[in-house]
Amino acid sequence: MAAGKDWNESVVEVAGSKLHLARAGSGRPVLVLHHDIGSPERLPFYDELAGWFDVLVPHHPGYGKSERPQWLRNVRDVAVMYQWLLADLGVEHVSLIGLGFGGWIAAEMATMAPRDFHRLVLVGAMGLKPPDGEIFDQAIVSYLDYARAGFHDQEAFSRIYGDVSTDQLVEWDLCREMNFRIAWKPYMYNQSLPQLLGGVHAPALVVWGDDDKIVPRSAGEHYAALLPRARFEVVRSSGHCVEMEQPDALARLVRSFIDEN
Amino acid sequence: MHVMYFTEQPMSAYPAQIGLDFGATALMFSNKYFDPVAGSRLYNEYLEHYIYAEEMGVEGFMLNEHHNAPFCMQAKCNIFASILAAVTKKAKIVLLGNPLPLAENPVRLAEELAMIDMISKGRLVSGFVRGGGQEQLAAGVNPAYNRERFEEAHDLVVAAWTRQGPFRWEGTHYQHRVVNPWAVPLQKPYPRVWIPGVLSKETIIWAAKQRYPYIALNTSIEATKNIWKIYDAAALEAGYEAGPENRGYLQQVHVSDSEEKAEKNARQFLWMQGEFTGLAHPVWSAPSGYFSPEHRRQFVEFAVGRAESPRGRPTFEKQVADGRVIYGTPKTVIPKLRRVLEETRPSIYGLWGNDGSVSNEDARTCIRLLGQEVMPAMREIGKELGLKDPFETDAPVHLRYSSDLKHMPQAAE
């Protein structure tokens, strides 16, 4: 484990915008789509995956080091940009791992190209209106409180973010601005997605932290019910950011799911 | 000199201690603490205040609106404007203003304003604002497109007022199949537009480019001077020289028949714990995408409690010292106002007379003294200093109606 230390960083132009892409490892291609608070450059979870797979971690358009497309208006636009990215890179039969907000993007991608993907992994995914409860609204809390709410154990938050720097706060503000630009209303879901998930052919694994305070578990159960070939798993002692809080447990689940035939 | 009477229309009858305990007196502070019986009384008192102010000689009523907060109970300025259009005779009805980005249908807004202009027989001044950050959240409007929506809604309102319909509008944020309102303004080419603001540089420059007067809201004398530097430079670039007719100012001024009473009442200007929009979380006042990117770094530190508010929260004494709050008897207040007039040279002046829980009787005394003693003195000082307002100079309503431009403006307005 933790073999893939040699991350190759590149800039790829998609739809007129420069996207930042980190890539490492070899094997089956896996596209990892990060949260609405962006992503640290490196995570143990990414390294573990790179020990087994060809892992691609882009920054969403307008997030992190990727340029903002001023015209971008909704999350489907992001999904289309990633289809374009994969086509340009020439990678086939990709598995998608969508984390939180990135799970919404992954679900949109899967509905757009129902036969294209090897596996779909949704972790605490946004994108559906939860049948019970509401998606926690970042608009009325500070950046720090929102990021912290993604964790079950605040020690885990500190391990990742330490004493949060001003640069990090600025990045969170930029992420939040992008979230507003593309997912303001309805907040963090797409009303037509439930009707479209039924066409997805790829086997799906829906993972939820047992203490997800951002997206209610009912949304995960809803995903598992709507996707034709889905399994629902709960990771214990984890908040919304399962990949940061329980990286080993998530990596194990993902590895066996992607590798099984 | 155009002198107006202003009040935030405070909803003073709310349990302040509960707000303090809750930690916020805006947006998320529950409206279960709104008392409609007191609300009914206060609305009617405020209405009487405007009518009385006209009797006492004010030239304008300055109206505004805010949402979900006790500091201002006027939720739609067009409603008070409509009433005043019918029940008053002479004073200008100055809306500072309608929050354009909150409008989902700017054509409807153009119709309402046209009706107010006709009913008032041409007394409307139609200011526009971006709306505060909390207003975006209260209205569910995307803060990240606030400025784009402001500019596009403005262009659409002006088009609805000036272009013969029917026409079609295919914008970025607004699309209208048919624009053809059967209500157009009485004033031609269209009612004057004034733009109030606090510190956003982009708005100052935008106002100067349109040749719309900018109304500095309760800024310190030094901050006001900086605003005019920015405005004047943008005006020169647009091809004209800005003067007093482009400058407005709103100031907290409470007058009474004794110094003691005036001071006691003037302290009510800080009734919202020193934040005139009430206690609120910084991310409510400035949601992401709403404020200038240049303030991002400073703002995020403030939002997590690592830095002081960029606006500061100066004490009463400090605000009196830097000229933001003026109080006294007419005799002591007039020299203080002379100083502001001399230093910042505005021709449009809003006197924010009463706030918080100033009694109805004291509020009326303030209005009487402002109208009968302070305003006539201000007009004299204005004459002496050459502070002619846009009505006196017949200033163009918009840059495009100018006949004195040093060079042709760029096509983009």
Side-chain angles (χ1 to χ4, degrees):
Chain A
M1 67 170 266
K5 295 285 197 304
D6 296 326
W7 288 86
N8 173 40
E9 295 188 12
S10 61
V11 175
V12 190
E13 191 167 314
V14 173
S17 291
K18 293 185 173 69
L19 298 189
H20 171 85
L21 176 68
R23 188 169 184 175
S26 61
R28 285 183 151 139
V30 172
L31 179 69
V32 182
L33 300 171
H34 65 68
H35 286 282
D36 58 354
I37 55 169
S39 172
E41 199 60 50
R42 298 281 171 268
L43 281 176
F45 176 69
Y46 298 164
D47 282 337
E48 283 196 54
L49 289 182
W52 310 313
F53 304 118
D54 172 13
V55 182
L56 297 96
V57 187
H59 287 178
H60 301 332
Y63 294 71
K65 291 180 183 166
S66 289
E67 205 172 35
R68 174 191 295 178
Q70 294 294 337
W71 50 267
L72 202 74
R73 282 296 185 273
N74 58 60
V75 171
R76 278 194 189 174
D77 293 347
V78 182
V80 174
M81 286 179 77
Y82 282 141
Q83 303 279 18
W84 179 331
L85 173 76
L86 294 177
D88 276 7
L89 293 174
V91 286
E92 306 272 346
H93 306 298
V94 177
S95 293
L96 302 174
I97 303 179
L99 308 169
F101 173 69
W104 179 8
I105 301 168
E108 296 282 0
M109 290 176 73
T111 61
M112 282 168 189
R115 290 178 301 181
D116 280 8
F117 296 103
H118 175 65
R119 294 287 186 273
L120 174 64
V121 181
L122 304 179
V123 187
M126 296 171 174
L128 293 182
K129 182 183 179 187
D132 186 23
E134 285 157 2
I135 296 172
F136 185 73
D137 188 357
Q138 61 193 294
I140 51 177
V141 297
S142 86
Y143 318 98
L144 210 46
D145 291 344
Y146 183 65
R148 284 187 176 283
F151 288 79
H152 162 72
D153 179 0
Q154 292 305 309
E155 297 267 322
F157 173 87
S158 301
R159 273 201 303 280
I160 305 283
Y161 291 106
D163 297 326
V164 176
S165 66
T166 301
D167 285 344
Q168 179 65 70
L169 294 172
V170 167
E171 191 184 330
W172 281 339
D173 183 61
L174 285 160
C175 288
R176 186 176 283 200
E177 183 171 344
M178 278 311 300
N179 298 334
F180 290 172
R181 289 177 76 92
I182 63 177
W184 171 258
K185 204 158 76 171
Y187 179 66
M188 289 297 180
Y189 64 88
N190 173 358
Q191 286 164 326
S192 44
L193 191 55
Q195 284 67 246
L196 297 170
L197 288 169
V200 176
H201 285 224
L205 173 67
V206 181
V207 184
W208 234 254
D210 66 347
D211 185 27
D212 190 327
K213 294 183 279 277
I214 305 290
V215 186
R217 189 191 293 198
S218 69
E221 289 159 353
H222 200 32
Y223 263 119
L226 292 166
L227 287 160
R229 301 169 66 190
R231 194 173 95 215
F232 186 70
E233 292 277 352
V234 171
V235 174
R236 294 177 65 177
S237 301
S238 179
H240 179 66
C241 300
V242 186
E243 83 293 354
M244 292 195 252
E245 200 155 12
Q246 298 294 349
D248 296 341
L250 183 62
R252 272 198 305 276
L253 276 171
V254 167
R255 183 188 186 184
S256 61
F257 179 67
I258 290 177
D259 275 345
E260 77 192 14
N261 285 308
Chain B
M1 187 101 230
H2 182 82
V3 194
M4 312 175 286
Y5 173 69
F6 173 73
T7 166
E8 286 278 10
Q9 297 196 9
M11 183 15 164
S12 52
Y14 85 100
Q17 190 55 47
I18 294 175
L20 287 173
D21 295 344
F22 177 66
T25 50
L27 191 69
M28 303 293 282
F29 179 55
S30 175
N31 68 353
K32 73 179 174 191
Y33 301 112
F34 185 92
D35 173 359
V37 175
S40 173
R41 171 178 60 80
L42 286 166
Y43 276 134
N44 283 290
E45 278 180 20
Y46 295 140
L47 186 54
E48 290 299 327
H49 289 177
Y50 296 116
I51 295 167
Y52 186 54
E54 185 179 54
E55 287 167 18
M56 293 300 109
V58 309
E59 287 134 331
F61 315 117
M62 170 176 164
L63 304 172
N64 71 338
E65 73 176 63
H66 286 283
H67 301 267
N68 299 27
F71 82 93
C72 171
M73 58 187 282
Q74 193 170 199
K76 191 71 207 138
C77 62
N78 290 358
I79 290 186
F80 259 78
S82 307
I83 301 166
L84 292 172
V87 303
T88 62
K89 297 287 175 227
K90 276 167 63 188
K92 304 282 186 194
I93 297 164
V94 183
L95 306 182
L96 297 178
N98 270 289
L100 285 177
L102 303 194
E104 292 298 349
N105 180 1
V107 180
R108 162 94 180 260
L109 186 59
E111 289 174 317
E112 290 172 6
L113 292 165
M115 287 177 68
I116 293 167
D117 196 41
M118 287 184 283
I119 295 166
S120 68
K121 299 172 185 157
R123 288 185 287 142
L124 174 68
V125 174
S126 174
F128 296 123
V129 297
R130 295 167 62 208
Q134 299 179 56
E135 261 80 51
Q136 319 303 313
L137 296 166
V141 169
N142 198 327
Y145 300 115
N146 175 274
R147 193 167 293 283
E148 289 180 22
R149 286 172 68 96
F150 175 83
E151 294 186 12
E152 189 180 328
H154 163 268
D155 294 348
L156 176 50
V157 168
V158 170
W161 281 345
T162 55
R163 276 173 66 184
Q164 285 182 359
F167 63 89
R168 199 175 174 99
W169 188 269
E170 296 290 346
T172 304
H173 297 281
Y174 300 103
Q175 294 83 29
H176 289 261
R177 196 158 265 113
V178 180
V179 182
N180 191 25
W182 266 73
V184 292
L186 178 63
Q187 298 181 83
K188 299 296 175 199
Y190 60 86
R192 290 186 182 281
V193 172
W194 299 349
I195 305 295
V198 185
L199 38 76
S200 162
K201 198 171 152 185
E202 290 90 337
T203 306
I204 302 165
I205 292 170
W206 183 85
K209 281 184 177 166
Q210 318 303 310
R211 208 170 183 169
Y212 289 154
Y214 182 85
I215 318 297
L217 299 179
N218 200 224
T219 45
S220 69
I221 288 180
E222 280 316 301
T224 311
K225 285 181 176 172
N226 283 332
I227 288 172
W228 301 141
K229 268 187 208 157
I230 296 166
Y231 189 104
D232 293 353
L236 276 181
E237 222 167 275
Y240 69 98
E241 204 169 314
E245 73 276 15
N246 301 91
R247 298 176 172 190
Y249 189 51
L250 170 69
Q251 181 156 43
Q252 294 174 325
V253 182
H254 183 82
V255 284
S256 189
D257 38 26
S258 83
E259 285 293 323
E260 296 71 31
K261 199 188 261 184
E263 185 192 328
K264 179 175 155 278
N265 283 334
R267 285 186 181 276
Q268 286 296 312
F269 286 127
L270 273 75
W271 80 295
M272 282 276 114
Q273 299 84 36
E275 291 280 4
F276 77 77
T277 54
L279 288 179
H281 195 291
V283 299
W284 306 349
S285 318
S288 298
Y290 170 82
F291 50 84
S292 308
E294 62 181 286
H295 297 141
R296 198 184 298 271
R297 216 173 167 79
Q298 187 192 3
F299 175 77
V300 295
E301 297 205 310
F302 165 53
V304 298
R306 289 184 190 168
E308 291 292 307
S309 162
R311 269 203 253 175
R313 203 188 280 182
T315 60
F316 178 73
E317 286 70 22
K318 171 90 174 60
Q319 293 197 41
V320 170
D322 69 18
R324 265 181 279 187
V325 173
I326 288 179
Y327 67 85
T329 59
K331 198 175 157 203
T332 60
V333 157
I334 290 163
K336 293 175 196 164
L337 286 167
R338 168 182 278 278
R339 183 176 156 238
V340 182
L341 289 169
E342 283 174 349
E343 295 226 18
T344 64
R345 299 185 55 77
S347 70
I348 301 162
Y349 215 110
L351 297 177
W352 177 350
N354 299 292
D355 208 348
S357 57
V358 171
S359 71
N360 190 30
E361 191 192 339
D362 287 358
R364 291 178 71 90
T365 302
C366 174
I367 291 166
R368 174 172 54 81
L369 294 172
L370 285 176
Q372 292 190 335
E373 298 187 37
V374 176
M375 290 184 182
M378 288 177 77
R379 283 181 207 117
E380 284 309 309
I381 299 167
K383 259 185 216 156
E384 179 195 322
L385 298 175
L387 306 178
K388 288 191 177 168
D389 66 49
F391 305 107
E392 291 173 291
T393 62
D394 197 21
V397 166
H398 184 275
L399 186 78
R400 78 173 72 92
Y401 304 107
S402 306
S403 54
D404 59 344
L405 296 186
K406 303 259 187 314
H407 55 77
M408 289 305 288
Q410 299 300 309
E413 285 167 349

